[in-house]
Amino acid sequence: MFGGLAFMVGGNMAVCVSGKGGLMVRVPTEETDALLERAHVEPMVMAGRETRGWIRVDTAGVATKRQLRTWVDKGARYAEGLPAK
């Protein structure tokens, strides 16, 4: 769907490794604005439109195991709370 390796939880996409580098993370829509204020985080844009409920974390934001785990955990926790498909 996003052109990269995706990881699912309960049939819901949680995180996706971007072919451009970095990570796309599924997040609660209401948290998107606050997360966009963090370093190395930008809106996820598809077909010229911002995709709410998803953010893009630049390669520098997932360079360490700790950084990567933080974002993977965030995406997985959110996907886990969605109805299973």
Side-chain angles (χ1 to χ4, degrees):
M1 178 176 176
F2 296 127
L5 178 63
F7 295 90
M8 313 282 275
V9 175
N12 294 294
M13 197 176 307
V15 295
C16 180
V17 179
S18 173
K20 298 177 185 177
L23 195 68
M24 291 173 277
V25 183
R26 191 167 194 178
V27 298
T29 305
E30 62 275 7
E31 292 182 22
T32 302
D33 290 333
L35 291 169
L36 289 173
E37 294 178 15
R38 296 177 71 172
H40 312 294
V41 177
E42 58 189 44
M44 189 173 118
V45 178
M46 289 188 65
R49 292 182 16 203
E50 184 177 332
T51 305
R52 300 295 289 174
W54 283 90
I55 56 171
R56 188 171 189 300
V57 182
D58 190 83
T59 305
V62 293
T64 68
K65 288 181 183 180
R66 182 178 179 187
Q67 289 172 311
L68 178 61
R69 177 176 295 275
T70 296
W71 291 114
V72 170
D73 286 350
K74 181 169 266 314
R77 275 193 312 272
Y78 182 64
E80 189 174 56
L82 296 171
K85 292 184 177 181

